[in-house]
Every structure is written in structure tokens, then in C-alpha cells.
Amino acid sequence: MSIPPLGAALAPVHQRYLLEARQMQALSFAVHIPLVCFGIAFPAMVLFLEWLHLRTGDPLYRTLARRWSRIVLALFAVGVITGTILSFEMGLLWPNFTATFGSVFGLGFAIEGFSFFMEAIFIGIYAYGWDRMSPRAHWLSGIPIVITGFTGSLMVISVNAWMNHPGGFALHAGHVVDVDPLRALFGNPYLWSELIHMYIAGYMVTGFLVAGCYAFGRLRGNRIPPTRYQRVALTIPLTIACVAAPVQVLVGDWVARDVAVDQPIKLAAIEGLYPTTRGASEHLLGWYTDGQIKDGIAIPHLLSLLAYHSWDARVQGLDTVPAAQRPPINVVRFAFQTMVGIGTLLALLGIAYLVIRIRRRPLPDSRWVNGALVLAGPAATVALIAGWVTTEVGRQPWVVYRVMPTADAVTGAGGIPVGYGTLVVTYLAVGAGLVWVLRRLARAPLSEREATLPGAAGATPQGP
Amino acid sequence: MLQTLPLVFVLVGLVLYTVLAGADFGAGIWRLVSDRGTRGQALREHANHSMGPVWEANHVWLIFVLTVTWTAYPSFFGSVASTLAVALFLAGVGIILRGAGYALRSGVRSDRELALIDGAFAVASLITPFALGAAAGGIAAERVPVGNAAGDLFASWTGPVSILAGVLAVVFSAYLAAVYLAADAAREHPELVEPFRRRALAAGLAAGAVAAAGLGVLHADAHSLYAGLLSRGALACVIVSALAGAATLGFVIVGRFEAARYGAGLAVAGVIAGWAIARYPTLLPGLSVHRAAAGHDTLVTLIVAVVAGGALLFPALGLLFSLTLRGRLAPGESTPEPIRAARPLGGAVRARLAVALLIVGIGMLNAASAPWAHAVGVVSLFAFMIVAFASLVPAALADEG
């Protein structure tokens, strides 16, 4: 398991604040990724509503689609800036990663740049084109937004999958040679499970969060029966999320088996498995210390069964690599168990809802049901971030798995804590502002004749 | 040739970013300085209405520049980003605040809130152009060496050339914005044309003065660049830039704002092209384009991707700008005829189809292990989700009705 030394493009510099640099990157991702979910899934929901309007002529669908399209626009604007910050950080925090491997993975981001560009253009056309185009042309102008939401995820995940399972280049005396960027990015078997897992997560997070907003409205105004508007606005995102949630469990199993094959040490960290074991047990909860899980619930053979679909499969343990090459076990393990725990609950919620709907019963308008729906959105977001913590912290101490240590990639510049603090304060302010504006957008009712440009909201009197 | 073409893409992207996003930042600057009262309010309102639909698209040019640079010239990108980290970080913070200002504006209900948000975020419009200009000045003055943060974190972007380039970027942004806003006002708010025309003239003259003073600064602080700019090809670019700069002011005086925008764009392009020609093939001290460039396959793939992307992008951009510039795309607001959907499958058929797709999906994705089986499994599961959604939602909506 020896790893050849890497001749980085720039000489690595010792960085006192490597951990802070990683945290700053993690913060930037954690802020950006929920917005990505809305970019993936929300336009599709808006288009579905507008399609219902075109089909039925019912103005309610158009009103709802139009209101949601303003939220798409506001969230996309914030997503543009958090995404720009991420691309800055590729150079500001990890210049040696980019300098050494930019020729291998950079293409993914370059194509993603175009995808992002098309998304920005068509979101502009769609959001500002409500009264300026024929209805059908307007609906069609939304299709590229859905497509670019997918291609954007494909490109970014192709880079992340490459970092986790690098290929498409050779090392000659430590130097990166024979670069084949297409093979590196798209010839990578690791890409597909990760991509599908994230794409479905986008629909879950968006669906549960949007449905949760309307369920919250029900919790507060429970005396009056829900209007048709409220029920439509709740039903569509909720049905999408509830169909996606159980499927996500199946996709998660696929991801786990890919991790077992390609990143055995990550799997060992996820499970806290120290000795290499045949017929390994799965541990629920508990805490990893001194090479074993304390206070966990052991289920014999389950890990071998889950990871390799075999009762007695051999599962590689943490003991196969030196301590310096192991990720922080408890962080990875806790994040993974959080994701799986929440994901399981959401899948059960989804199945329960589907059973109710299949039997054509109405969804009970009770405090418990609405309360569960309000919690489901934030829970799905936590699961999303926990999943990314699992894969990204689980990759440590490598930035390019088993090729380049994160410590070699980091910048030599000082002042990382200052930058980190500035970013925290800025994002807190932006987050507070975003909550404020979303509440305003949710309250101001949209009349059909209302002007579409921003700023017009200032002229709109507050309705009932 | 192969190794230089991505550099051309980067420079073109840089010109477009300077012109398009510069106008956006400039609009923010005018918000900062426009007088209080109803007219100032009208000016600010106009600035926001004009930029709103296009600002995201304008800012993506920066991402284009960054991604092409780190793919084609990775070690150049790493050296620049690490040494100029402070300036670039400041620019990034400015971009966050600027974008947040747009997002927040859509929720505003009173003039007081509007003034508060504009005040808080207009500062961002000063920071970003200045910081990016200063960073470019640092590269031009050879204050960025090759290496991981090998240059001075502050001195690299605070030298005379940097200050000059930063100030020029700010003044030029204000100029571009005033021209753009005057052109835009001509369509809907004729009373706002004159104030923006006067602002454009003032900012244009200031930009010309800063640029002229810049020659003296270059002579003193970056002599080799100065000498390079006087060599043949570069000198031609500088002359074109100066002529375009003079012409654009002339267009503003006679009120031909659209032509003035192109003139301003040409002036920027001249400066950037002159700089590139004066330096070529050197990117940083001791690092040539050829040494920094990625391998053959990467460059070819990148160029193909950029050309293909551009073929998709420019028609789409044209559509967006025609929508915002002409005010509308097609006669809108007709009540649509309900589209007759294909006859839906019976409920029982759909339920059986959904179950079948789910079983195939689980079998292929979770039981089998061949890659082709996984592909079939994923497709089946997506089909399951679509069929399940399509059969549940219409019923749910009908029940609600």
C-alpha cells in the first residue's frame, strides 16, 4: 500500500491553519449545496405547474408558478455568488491542487461554467418573460433550466468523483503526465452512483422544504380549512419528495457498494472497523475509540452483507493503512449515521404518504402530520450536508485520493482565520437577509397583473 | 498556437466581464452617489430595473475566465491566486454583497428599506472593481512570482500600477454604467437620459485622465511593460484603444449611447490586447505560456468545449438581450388554449407499470452488480418515480377540487 511521492507543480508550504482552511471550504460548500438542490429541482416543479396551467387554463396554477419562479430567481442569485466564491477558493485556499491537477479536472468546471451560464440566461428569460412571450414559448424557455440543472450537477460531481477515485493521468517521477481529461472525468465508474444520489437528494431537499413551508402555514392557521391554493402548493412538492425518498435508500445501497470497492478505508471509517474482518458486524450508534465501537448496537454479518452482498465477505479495516492515512473516524461515522438515520425516517414518511394517497385518503390536516412535514425539510438538508461530510471528510487526509495529501494542496498564504471569520460574518448576514426576503415573497400575494421586475414588489400593497 | 488559443479565450472573457459586469458595478456606484429625494430615487430605481434581468449572466463571465485559466494554465493560476489572495478575497466579498443586494431588493416594501439596502450594498460595487483592477495591476507590474503564495500578500497588489488599475476600473465601470443606463432610459424614462448623459461625460473624462496618467505610472513602476507597449503590435492596440476612447466620448456627447458602449468595449479590448502582446509569451516572471500550458489532449478538449459551448451560448445570450433591450419578445398575454393531453393510461395499468418498474429497478440496481445492470436499474427507478408521480398527482389535485 505504499504511495509514490508526488511532485506538486508548486512547492508545498507548511500551513498552520490547514484545519481552518478545510472548515472554510466546508462552510462554503454547506452554504452552496442546499441552493444547488433548488437549482436542480425547483424549476422542474415550476414548469410542472405552468404545464398544468397550459393544460387546464386554471389561473391558480399560473399564479403559483409565477410566485415560485420569483423564489427560483432569488435563490439562483444567491447561488451564483456562493458558487463564484467556491471557484475563487479553488485558487485562494488550494492553489497547489489546482496548479498540479487543473489540466486533469479543470475541464469539468469549464463545461460547468457554460452550463451555469445557460442556466443564468434562461432563468433570466423565464423569470422576466411572464408577460412578454406567448405562453407556450415561455414554458419552453424553462426547459433548458431543468436540463442545465442536471448537466451542472454532472460536471461538478464528475470532478468530485475524480478526486475520490482519480484516473486519466499517469505519474512519471512524481509528475502528472499523459493527461486524458475525458477519461478522468467521465470514464470514472465512481461518478454515476454519486451523481444519481445527489440528483435525487436535490428533489428530496427541495420537495420537503417547499412542502414544509405550506405545512408551517397550516400549523399557524389551523382554524380555517386550507384553501385550494395551499393544498396544491403542498401536494406537488410533497409527492415528489415522497416518491424520491424511498428510491434514495436503494441508490444509497449502490453508492455504499461503490465506496466499499474503491475506497475501502473510507468504508472502514464509516463503520469504525479497525481489524480486517470476515463476516463483519454493522454497528448502530456508539462511539469509536481504541480500535472498536463503544456502546453501539452490533448486528452480526450485516456489514459484509451490505457492502459485498455476501455473508462472510472480507471487509478491509483501518489497520491496513498507517494512522496518518486514516480520516477522522468519529466525524465520518457520526455524519454517515446521521444521513442514514434521517434518510430512513424520510423514506418511511414517504412510504406512509404514498400508501395514504394510493388509498385515495386525504392527508390528515393534523398538528402531528403538519409538524412532521415542517421538520422533514430541515432534516433532509441536514442529511444532505451529513452525506457530503461523509464523502469529503472520509476522503481525508487526501485531496486527490491516495495521490495528493490535502496538506500539500493548501495555500502558503497567511491570514486564513481572518478570511474564514469574514466569510462567516458575511454569510450570516446574507443568510439573515435571505430568510427575510423569502418571508416577504411568501407573504406578498401576486396578482396576475403585477409587474414582473424586482422593485415592483415595493409598490404592491400587502394583501390578505 | 494550441497553447495560446485558451489565452485568447481568457482575454476575450476578461473584456466581456469588464464591459458587462463593469456596467453592473457602475450602476451600484451611481446609486451610492446619486442625490437624495425623488429624482435620486428614480435614478436608483432605473439602475436596478435595467440591470436586474442580466446581472447573473454578466457575472458568469468571471467564472468562465477562472475555469479556462486553471484548466489551460494551472501553475499560473495557482501562483496568481495564492499571492493575490487578499485582493481576490476582497473582490469575492464584494461579489457576495452585490448579489445579495439584488436578492434582497425583491422583498423591499418601503423607500426607507430600499435606501438602507442600497447604501449597504453599493459599497460592494466599489470594492470588487478596485480589487480586481489592483490584482491585474500586480500581475502587470511583475509583483507575482511563480510559487505557492511566493509573493508578498499585500505589496503585490498595492503598488502604483495596482492603485492606478484599481481606480481606472472603478471610474471606467461608472462610465460604462452611465452610458448603459442613459441608453436604457431613452426607451422608457426620457427624463432620465440627460442626467445619465452628464454623468457619463464626467466619468468618461475622468477615465481618460486616469488612463493618460497611467502611462507615466507605467514608465516609473513597470518599465519593461511600458517599453513593451511601445513595440509595434502593442502600440497599435494602445492607439486603437485611445481612439476608441475618444470616439466613445464623442458618441456620448451626441447622444448615441449604443455606439458609445461598443466604443468603450473596444477601448478596453485595446488595453487588454496591448498588455497581452507586450508581454507575450511571458505570463509571470520566469513562466512562459508554453511552460504553463496544459498537455495537448487537455488543450484540444478545452478548445472544443469552449467552441461548442459558445455555439450554444451566444444565441441564448442574444435572446436574453433582445428580451431586455427591446422590452418584449413576442406579442404576449393571450389566453392559452388548453392543450389536449394524450389519453392517460388507466389507473390500474399505471399502478401495475409502477410496481413492475420498481421491481426491475431493485433487481438491477441492488441485486445485480454489472455496470449495465446498474444503468438499467437507475433508468427503471427514474421511470418508476415519474409514473408514480404522474399517477398520484392528478388524482390528488382532483380530490382537492
Side-chain angles (χ1 to χ4, degrees):
Chain A
M1 299 278 288
S2 76
I3 292 161
L6 174 75
L10 311 175
V13 179
H14 177 71
Q15 173 58 258
R16 258 179 81 191
Y17 297 107
L18 174 63
L19 186 64
E20 283 77 2
R22 281 176 47 207
Q23 287 172 350
M24 188 170 167
Q25 185 73 53
L27 169 76
S28 311
F29 273 128
V31 170
H32 186 62
I33 283 175
L35 295 164
V36 171
C37 293
F38 276 86
I40 287 174
F42 213 15
M45 295 183 197
V46 175
L47 278 191
F48 179 70
L49 278 170
E50 196 185 8
W51 178 76
L52 284 177
H53 167 69
L54 290 177
R55 226 185 100 173
T56 63
D58 187 338
L60 183 142
Y61 296 127
R62 187 171 194 267
T63 308
L64 189 56
R66 201 163 162 162
R67 172 179 286 191
W68 282 4
S69 75
R70 291 181 62 162
I71 296 173
V72 169
L73 188 70
L75 291 176
F76 187 76
V78 181
V80 169
I81 53 185
T82 54
T84 308
I85 294 310
L86 283 176
S87 57
F88 269 63
E89 284 174 343
M90 296 289 290
L92 296 184
L93 293 176
W94 316 106
N96 219 2
F97 167 58
T98 319
T100 309
F101 290 105
S103 63
V104 187
F105 71 79
L107 182 75
F109 284 125
I111 301 176
E112 147 66 3
F114 278 105
S115 174
F116 200 40
F117 219 144
M118 295 294 277
E119 199 172 355
I121 291 168
F122 281 97
I123 282 183
I125 291 174
Y126 187 84
Y128 291 94
W130 276 101
D131 291 325
R132 303 173 181 212
M133 299 157 80
S134 77
R136 213 159 299 182
H138 183 257
W139 186 77
L140 288 175
S141 77
I143 303 282
I145 308 174
V146 179
I147 297 172
T148 51
F150 178 77
T151 51
S153 318
L154 170 64
M155 292 306 146
V156 173
I157 302 273
S158 75
V159 176
N160 187 268
W162 173 82
M163 290 163 70
N164 278 292
H165 188 238
F169 66 94
L171 285 178
H172 181 71
H175 291 281
V176 177
V177 291
D178 295 338
V179 175
D180 181 350
L182 290 178
R183 196 159 64 80
L185 295 172
F186 309 115
N188 181 359
Y190 198 79
L191 162 64
W192 305 106
S193 56
E194 196 182 342
L195 171 70
I196 301 297
H197 202 44
M198 174 62 200
Y199 195 67
I200 293 180
Y203 278 85
M204 284 174 65
V205 168
T206 309
F208 280 126
L209 276 176
V210 175
C213 291
Y214 291 92
F216 186 66
R218 292 304 305 147
L219 268 187
R220 297 208 310 185
N222 222 347
R223 301 272 165 77
I224 25 170
T227 60
R228 183 158 162 264
Y229 178 93
Q230 286 174 323
R231 284 182 307 207
V232 170
L234 179 80
T235 299
I236 289 173
L238 184 60
T239 308
I240 288 178
C242 285
V243 168
V247 172
Q248 184 72 310
V249 175
L250 304 173
V251 174
D253 166 63
W254 177 31
V255 176
R257 283 184 290 142
D258 275 1
V259 169
V261 173
D262 292 326
Q263 295 186 303
I265 297 305
K266 185 189 274 183
L267 182 78
I270 284 171
E271 302 297 346
L273 183 72
Y274 187 77
T276 301
T277 313
R278 286 192 173 279
S281 313
E282 169 95 18
H283 288 83
L284 302 180
L285 305 175
W287 190 256
Y288 174 87
T289 179
D290 298 332
Q292 54 186 325
I293 302 292
K294 282 253 160 48
D295 302 327
I297 305 159
I299 304 172
H301 292 280
L302 185 62
L303 177 55
S304 289
L305 212 51
L306 283 177
Y308 295 99
H309 285 189
S310 149
W311 188 251
D312 267 329
R314 175 176 168 279
V315 182
Q316 190 179 333
L318 291 162
D319 62 346
T320 50
V321 294
Q325 290 181 21
R326 296 172 202 155
I329 314 295
N330 279 314
V331 176
V332 178
R333 211 173 157 264
F334 181 72
F336 178 77
Q337 302 231 342
T338 304
M339 174 188 74
V340 170
I342 292 175
T344 308
L345 291 176
L346 291 176
L348 293 176
L349 176 73
I351 291 170
Y353 174 79
L354 295 182
V355 168
I356 289 173
R357 290 308 325 174
I358 288 167
R359 298 169 66 187
R360 296 201 68 160
R361 299 271 176 78
L363 185 68
D365 187 34
S366 72
R367 284 181 67 85
W368 282 99
V369 171
N370 285 321
L373 295 184
V374 168
L375 287 180
T381 314
V382 169
L384 170 84
I385 292 171
W388 277 104
V389 169
T390 307
T391 194
E392 295 301 273
V393 178
R395 194 190 61 231
Q396 301 301 326
W398 306 99
V399 64
V400 182
Y401 194 61
R402 293 174 62 74
V403 177
M404 183 184 224
T406 313
D408 284 4
V410 73
T411 180
I416 285 177
V418 178
Y420 183 24
T422 310
L423 194 71
V424 169
V425 172
T426 313
Y427 273 174
L428 280 177
V430 171
L434 189 63
V435 169
W436 174 81
V437 77
L438 287 179
R439 287 175 58 107
R440 276 284 170 87
L441 285 179
R443 279 185 201 159
L446 265 179
S447 75
E448 274 301 285
R449 294 284 160 194
E450 189 184 349
T452 48
L453 296 172
T460 312
Q462 191 178 3
Chain B
M1 178 60 192
L2 186 65
Q3 293 171 323
T4 310
L5 199 52
L7 183 63
V8 175
F9 294 153
V10 169
L11 295 176
V12 169
L14 213 50
V15 172
L16 288 167
Y17 180 70
T18 311
V19 173
L20 296 170
D24 173 39
F25 287 118
I29 295 170
W30 288 121
R31 256 186 233 162
L32 196 63
V33 299
S34 61
D35 41 299
R36 303 214 170 273
T38 44
R39 209 193 60 160
Q41 180 64 33
L43 291 176
R44 286 197 294 266
E45 200 52 51
H46 178 63
N48 189 66
H49 270 232
S50 304
M51 302 308 303
V54 290
W55 91 264
E56 285 104 339
N58 289 347
H59 278 268
V60 186
W61 283 113
L62 182 59
I63 294 180
F64 172 81
V65 168
L66 294 177
T67 55
V68 173
T69 307
W70 78 46
T71 308
Y73 312 105
S75 56
F76 167 72
F77 178 84
S79 304
V80 167
S82 55
T83 288
L84 294 171
V86 177
L88 294 177
F89 183 71
L90 286 175
V93 171
I95 290 171
I96 299 179
L97 295 178
R98 179 78 181 135
Y102 271 111
L104 294 190
R105 260 182 151 264
S106 54
V108 160
R109 262 194 227 119
S110 73
D111 288 351
R112 207 177 57 82
E113 289 175 355
L114 200 63
L116 200 71
I117 288 178
D118 283 347
F121 294 104
V123 183
S125 304
L126 286 174
I127 298 175
T128 304
F130 179 82
L132 290 176
I139 300 171
E142 303 196 308
R143 289 195 164 86
V144 179
V146 177
N148 183 351
D152 190 289
L153 276 184
F154 289 93
S156 56
W157 59 281
T158 51
V161 176
S162 288
I163 302 296
L164 173 94
V167 171
L168 186 60
V170 170
V171 177
F172 191 74
S173 297
Y175 170 70
L176 283 169
V179 170
Y180 181 83
L181 293 171
D184 208 52
R187 280 204 322 272
E188 287 170 25
H189 305 282
E191 77 283 1
L192 293 181
V193 172
E194 188 50 30
F196 277 118
R197 196 180 72 94
R198 269 188 278 118
R199 284 168 165 76
L201 264 183
L205 287 172
V210 174
L215 286 177
V217 174
L218 283 184
H219 183 70
D221 189 41
H223 195 80
S224 68
L225 176 60
Y226 179 81
L229 281 174
L230 294 183
S231 67
R232 265 187 313 171
L235 187 63
C237 291
V238 174
I239 291 172
V240 166
S241 173
L243 291 177
T248 177
L249 277 178
F251 286 127
V252 170
I253 291 173
V254 299
R256 293 192 52 200
F257 300 112
E258 196 58 35
R261 294 189 73 198
Y262 291 112
L266 191 58
V268 180
V271 168
I272 288 178
W275 173 24
I277 293 172
R279 272 279 179 265
Y280 188 83
T282 307
L283 289 174
L284 296 176
L287 184 70
S288 68
V289 168
H290 310 287
R291 267 197 53 206
H296 175 268
D297 286 9
T298 299
L299 294 176
V300 169
T301 328
L302 177 69
I303 289 166
V304 169
V306 170
V307 169
L312 283 172
L313 188 68
F314 282 102
L317 262 182
L319 190 65
L320 176 66
F321 280 113
S322 74
L323 176 69
T324 54
L325 290 181
R326 282 196 277 118
R328 61 179 45 231
L329 268 178
E333 201 71 65
S334 59
T335 319
E337 284 175 38
I339 299 167
R340 289 181 57 84
R343 219 169 63 82
L345 294 170
V349 178
R350 263 191 298 199
R352 263 175 250 155
L353 180 61
V355 171
L357 286 167
L358 183 61
I359 291 172
V360 171
I362 294 175
M364 289 298 185
L365 185 68
N366 301 102
S369 51
W372 66 267
H374 287 167
V376 173
V378 167
V379 171
S380 305
L381 288 177
F382 271 89
F384 159 74
M385 288 190 283
I386 291 168
V387 172
F389 177 77
S391 52
L392 289 173
V393 158
L397 295 178
D399 289 353
E400 309 287 1

